[in-house]
Amino acid sequence: MLVLLAEVATMFGLRSSGGSYEKMRSEYYIDVENPFCPQVTKQIHEHEQESELREQMSGYKRMRRQHQKQLIALENKLKAEMDEHRLKLQKEVETQANNAYIELEKLAKRHAVHTEKEIKTSQADEKKFQQQIVGQQKKELTTFLDNQKKQYKLCKEKIKEEMNEDHSTPKKEKQERLSKHKENMQHSQAEEEAHLLGQQRVFYERNCRAFKRKVMIKRHDGEQEQIREELTKKKTQKEMEHAMLIRHDESTQELEHRQLKNLQKLRMDLIRLQHQTELENQIEYNNRRERELHRKHVLELRQQPKNLKVLELQIKKQFQDTCKVQTKQYKALRHHQMEVTPKTEHKTVLKALKDEQTRKLAILAEQYEQSINEMMASQALRLDEAQEAECQALRQQLQQEMELLNAYQSKIKMQTEAQHEREQQKLEQKVSLRRAHLEQKIEEELDSLQKERSDRIKHLLERQEREIDSFDMESIRLGFGNLCMLDFPKDDYR
């Protein structure tokens, strides 16, 4: 049909009439693809779109800033909580150390008081023991002297009886013999008394020396008991300190895990909220794009009849112009035929030309009408296809943008989860390393305490052994021999 229309146009001189059909079609397509819209309405729509976009972006930025503030606020809160927790633990450690120092000071004072009391008691017991020995020896000496006096008296009476029975001996000689016998007895008794006093002195000095050795051994036992009590107290305090440090480590570990969990939970909640906002913004953006495209299509549909009417008027004007050209050509042809045709045939020729002109104009009008109908149907179809293509392209674009957004959000979520996993592993490593250092410190302090216990007990026993050896050597030098097996009376110092 387009070929036939082109031939008719060529026949009647359309190509030189100031515009072709193809040109009109191209002009029509341009008008359809860019529908007429008033400048003010277009600016209003663009301003509204820019305002909505700016408001959406401003809201998104406000949300991000608010999220960042929430994270910073939580981090500061958790840091303050951790500082307060560590300060509390530090105060507890200092209190424990001060209490331990005070307890050791009290124990040292109690030991000093007990030692001083034991020294005074030992001195009093030693004095009592010496007085007891002295008292016993005085009784022994008194009994001994009484016995000597009785013996002396008996001997004196016996000698007097013997002398009284001897009448042959002169009195003077008897007196001399009596005096000599008295001197011998007195000398013998004096020697026996001196011997007894020497034995008593040796007994006194030996027992006093043995008593001092016994007191020294008891003092040694007290020193051993005191140093064991002190070391046991230190060990108990150290064990309490270690238990407290382990409890502190466990509480710190629990607080660190809880804080990390809270921080990660808030971060994930904010990310979910951010992703939800992004998704809502994307959906709103998609809906706005679809509404804009729908509004554009509605305007195109509203504008299409006007454009088609303009095109139809243009084609009709071309048809009218073509008819005028054809009329001129017919007149020229008629004039030419009148000149070359005999006058008798003029009527027949004019009728034939008139019929031919009428027939061709009818055919041309029918062709123009048919072309207009086909063009309008074609343009309507092309508009529908173009709009459908735009809808399909927009759906694909929005689908791709949605997929990109989902992929980006999935990436952010995976990165956040990976970050949380790294933070958890880092915390576990930190906790494990800190616990290992604590256990190593506890082990070293227990070893050091055990070494201190062994060294102090060893040095004490060596010093006590040296004191006993020196005391025993001095006793042997003084002639007292071995005093460790010496027994005391039941009422003596124990």
Side-chain angles (χ1 to χ4, degrees):
M1 182 61 67
L2 293 177
V3 175
L4 179 60
L5 185 59
E7 291 177 352
V8 174
T10 303
M11 182 185 303
F12 292 96
L14 277 176
R15 295 190 182 275
S16 61
S17 62
S20 66
Y21 174 70
E22 295 296 334
K23 183 178 180 181
M24 289 187 292
R25 287 186 59 189
S26 64
E27 292 176 355
Y28 172 75
Y29 290 145
I30 292 173
D31 291 339
V32 172
E33 291 175 359
N34 297 279
F36 173 76
C37 182
Q39 188 68 20
V40 176
T41 305
K42 183 179 180 180
Q43 291 179 355
I44 291 175
H45 287 323
E46 291 178 354
H47 180 71
E48 290 177 353
Q49 293 173 5
E50 292 177 358
S51 299
E52 291 178 1
L53 185 60
R54 283 196 300 269
E55 180 63 25
Q56 189 180 74
M57 184 57 66
S58 299
Y60 181 75
K61 289 181 178 179
R62 284 196 303 271
M63 180 193 68
R64 291 295 301 272
R65 288 194 296 267
Q66 185 65 27
H67 290 180
Q68 191 68 20
K69 288 181 180 179
Q70 288 179 347
L71 285 174
I72 294 175
L74 181 60
E75 289 176 354
N76 293 334
K77 178 182 177 182
L78 296 180
K79 184 177 181 299
E81 183 182 6
M82 181 58 71
D83 293 340
E84 182 181 359
H85 173 74
R86 288 175 177 170
L87 181 61
K88 177 182 176 182
L89 299 185
Q90 183 179 358
K91 288 183 178 179
E92 189 174 351
V93 171
E94 293 176 355
T95 303
Q96 174 75 13
N98 292 333
N99 292 337
Y101 176 79
I102 292 173
E103 289 179 357
L104 289 177
E105 285 291 322
K106 289 182 178 180
L107 181 63
K109 290 180 180 179
R110 183 163 59 84
H111 286 171
V113 171
H114 182 267
T115 301
E116 184 178 359
K117 182 179 179 181
E118 287 293 326
I119 291 174
K120 291 181 179 179
T121 302
S122 299
Q123 291 176 351
D125 290 341
E126 183 178 5
K127 186 176 181 180
K128 180 180 178 181
F129 179 72
Q130 292 174 353
Q131 291 176 353
Q132 182 181 357
I133 294 177
V134 170
Q136 290 179 353
Q137 289 182 347
K138 284 183 178 179
K139 290 180 180 179
E140 291 177 358
L141 181 60
T142 302
T143 302
F144 177 77
L145 293 176
D146 291 340
N147 291 333
Q148 278 189 338
K149 288 179 180 180
K150 290 179 181 179
Q151 186 178 4
Y152 176 79
K153 186 177 180 180
L154 290 175
C155 289
K156 182 178 178 181
E157 291 177 353
K158 184 179 180 181
I159 290 172
K160 284 183 178 182
E161 288 179 357
E162 291 177 355
M163 291 179 65
N164 291 329
E165 292 177 356
D166 185 9
H167 300 286
S168 60
T169 304
K171 185 176 181 180
K172 185 178 180 180
E173 185 178 355
K174 290 181 179 180
Q175 278 299 124
E176 291 178 356
R177 287 176 58 188
L178 181 60
S179 297
K180 187 176 181 180
H181 188 67
K182 287 172 62 177
E183 290 177 1
N184 290 336
M185 287 186 64
Q186 289 177 353
H187 180 70
S188 176
Q189 287 181 350
E191 289 180 352
E192 290 178 356
E193 182 180 356
H195 179 69
L196 178 61
L197 290 175
Q199 287 182 342
Q200 285 183 345
R201 186 183 68 257
V202 171
F203 179 82
Y204 175 81
E205 292 178 354
R206 178 179 171 82
N207 279 273
C208 288
R209 188 76 177 175
F211 185 87
K212 289 182 178 180
R213 189 177 189 278
K214 199 86 170 180
V215 169
M216 183 175 61
I217 291 175
K218 184 181 180 183
R219 178 171 56 82
H220 288 176
D221 292 339
E223 290 175 351
Q224 294 176 13
E225 182 180 355
Q226 288 180 358
I227 194 172
R228 286 191 176 93
E229 185 178 1
E230 178 187 353
L231 294 174
T232 302
K233 188 69 174 178
K234 283 186 176 182
K235 182 179 180 182
T236 303
Q237 291 177 346
K238 188 61 68 174
E239 290 175 350
M240 291 176 62
E241 178 186 352
H242 291 166
M244 180 185 63
L245 292 177
I246 292 175
R247 189 176 67 255
H248 288 178
D249 181 71
E250 292 175 350
S251 63
T252 303
Q253 177 181 349
E254 180 182 356
L255 179 59
E256 288 173 339
H257 280 93
R258 187 172 69 252
Q259 287 187 347
L260 181 61
K261 182 179 178 181
N262 292 337
L263 181 61
Q264 292 180 350
K265 181 179 181 301
L266 177 61
R267 188 182 294 141
M268 288 302 297
D269 291 341
L270 294 180
I271 287 177
R272 279 193 292 269
L273 180 59
Q274 175 185 336
H275 288 177
Q276 182 65 27
T277 304
E278 292 173 350
L279 185 61
E280 292 175 355
N281 291 342
Q282 183 65 31
I283 293 174
E284 183 180 353
Y285 169 78
N286 294 349
N287 294 334
R288 185 170 65 251
R289 288 290 303 276
E290 291 176 352
R291 288 195 304 271
E292 292 172 358
L293 183 60
H294 178 69
R295 187 183 302 114
K296 176 185 175 185
H297 288 172
V298 170
L299 292 175
E300 289 176 351
L301 291 175
R302 290 177 180 176
Q303 190 68 21
Q304 185 186 21
K306 298 179 181 180
N307 295 332
L308 292 178
K309 188 66 176 178
V310 171
L311 183 60
E312 182 181 0
L313 293 175
Q314 291 177 354
I315 294 174
K316 286 182 178 181
K317 185 176 182 300
Q318 288 183 358
F319 174 71
Q320 292 174 358
D321 294 339
T322 303
C323 290
K324 292 178 180 179
V325 172
Q326 186 180 10
T327 302
K328 290 180 180 180
Q329 291 176 351
Y330 167 73
K331 288 181 179 181
L333 180 63
R334 185 181 62 178
H335 180 71
H336 176 70
Q337 289 292 334
M338 291 294 103
E339 290 179 352
V340 299
T341 305
K343 189 175 182 180
T344 56
E345 297 178 359
H346 282 179
K347 188 175 182 180
T348 304
V349 172
L350 289 175
K351 183 179 180 183
L353 290 175
K354 187 67 174 178
D355 293 339
E356 182 65 20
Q357 181 186 7
T358 302
R359 186 181 64 81
K360 287 185 176 181
L361 287 176
I363 293 173
L364 183 61
E366 183 181 355
Q367 289 178 351
Y368 266 93
E369 187 68 24
Q370 185 177 357
S371 296
I372 289 173
N373 294 333
E374 290 178 355
M375 184 184 302
M376 294 180 67
S378 175
Q379 293 305 316
L381 179 61
R382 290 196 60 182
L383 180 61
D384 292 341
E385 291 178 352
Q387 291 182 349
E388 181 63 28
E390 287 182 349
C391 290
Q392 185 66 25
L394 179 61
R395 282 194 294 268
Q396 290 180 356
Q397 178 187 355
L398 298 180
Q399 180 66 25
Q400 290 177 356
E401 292 178 357
M402 184 64 74
E403 291 176 355
L404 289 175
L405 177 61
N406 292 331
Y408 172 75
Q409 290 181 348
S410 299
K411 180 181 178 181
I412 294 298
K413 184 178 179 182
M414 291 176 61
Q415 289 177 349
T416 305
E417 291 176 350
Q419 177 186 354
H420 289 178
E421 183 66 24
R422 289 193 301 270
E423 291 175 348
Q424 189 68 30
Q425 291 177 358
K426 184 178 179 181
L427 178 59
E428 292 293 341
Q429 184 178 4
K430 175 184 175 182
V431 168
S432 177
L433 185 61
R434 186 177 64 215
R435 186 57 177 266
H437 287 168
L438 177 59
E439 292 177 353
Q440 182 180 1
K441 176 185 176 182
I442 291 175
E443 183 177 358
E444 291 176 354
E445 289 182 352
L446 289 178
D447 292 341
S448 176
L449 187 62
Q450 182 62 34
K451 185 176 183 301
E452 178 188 0
R453 179 185 182 90
S454 301
D455 291 344
R456 290 187 63 182
I457 292 177
K458 178 183 177 182
H459 293 161
L460 177 63
L461 294 178
E462 289 176 352
R463 179 180 63 80
Q464 291 178 349
E465 185 177 1
R466 287 194 300 272
E467 289 181 2
I468 293 176
D469 292 341
S470 176
F471 187 86
D472 290 343
M473 290 178 65
E474 181 68 17
S475 298
I476 293 174
R477 187 183 66 81
L478 293 174
F480 297 117
N482 189 2
L483 301 177
C484 62
M485 300 301 294
L486 185 64
D487 292 333
F488 291 93
K490 291 182 180 180
D491 54 351
D492 287 348
Y493 173 79
R494 297 300 181 192

